[in-house]
Amino acid sequence: MLPHIALAITIQIVWGLTPSASRLILEYLPVESYSAIRYTLPGIFFLIYTLRKHGRLHVQRKHLPYLILLGVLAYAVDSLGTLYGLKTGGVLNFGLASSMNTVITA
């Protein structure tokens, strides 16, 4: 149980530091470039992991356009909006706005 608690603590620390680290990176990179890197690299790692574990992707051809649309709308547009908000509003405002997600969703 102790390794799981340590993992949970580590995840919370990394998750909490992400806006500050992103803000520092945005001083040197344009939002679009950082957004592309931010989701492309994990996507490649996830694809490699899936292919190694299962040997192939189990996506039906008819679902592929919806999957691509989901990727573009959910990740690309969301990431651009989040990073532009972080760049213009700062880390404090970003944290406050992010904490409102639960209330807005409810």
Side-chain angles (χ1 to χ4, degrees):
M1 183 159 163
L2 187 59
H4 294 92
I5 293 173
L7 180 63
I9 291 170
T10 304
I11 289 170
Q12 289 299 315
I13 290 171
V14 170
W15 191 270
L17 291 175
T18 299
S20 297
S22 292
R23 179 71 175 133
L24 291 173
I25 292 170
L26 287 173
E27 291 180 16
Y28 301 101
L29 280 177
V31 171
E32 296 82 7
S33 299
Y34 179 53
S35 179
I37 292 169
R38 188 174 173 211
Y39 283 106
T40 302
L41 292 179
I44 291 170
F45 290 133
F46 181 71
L47 179 64
I48 291 169
Y49 170 78
T50 303
L51 291 174
R52 292 185 87 205
K53 184 157 178 83
H54 300 290
R56 68 180 196 93
L57 294 177
H58 300 284
V59 178
Q60 294 178 5
R61 192 174 289 264
K62 66 179 182 179
H63 295 145
L64 199 56
Y66 300 112
L67 187 62
I68 292 170
L69 185 65
L70 176 69
V72 169
L73 292 179
Y75 291 108
V77 174
D78 175 59
S79 180
L80 285 173
T82 299
L83 293 175
Y84 273 118
L86 180 62
K87 186 172 185 174
T88 59
V91 175
L92 180 62
N93 289 332
F94 178 78
L96 291 172
S98 294
S99 65
M100 293 298 293
N101 280 345
T102 309
V103 175
I104 292 170
T105 301

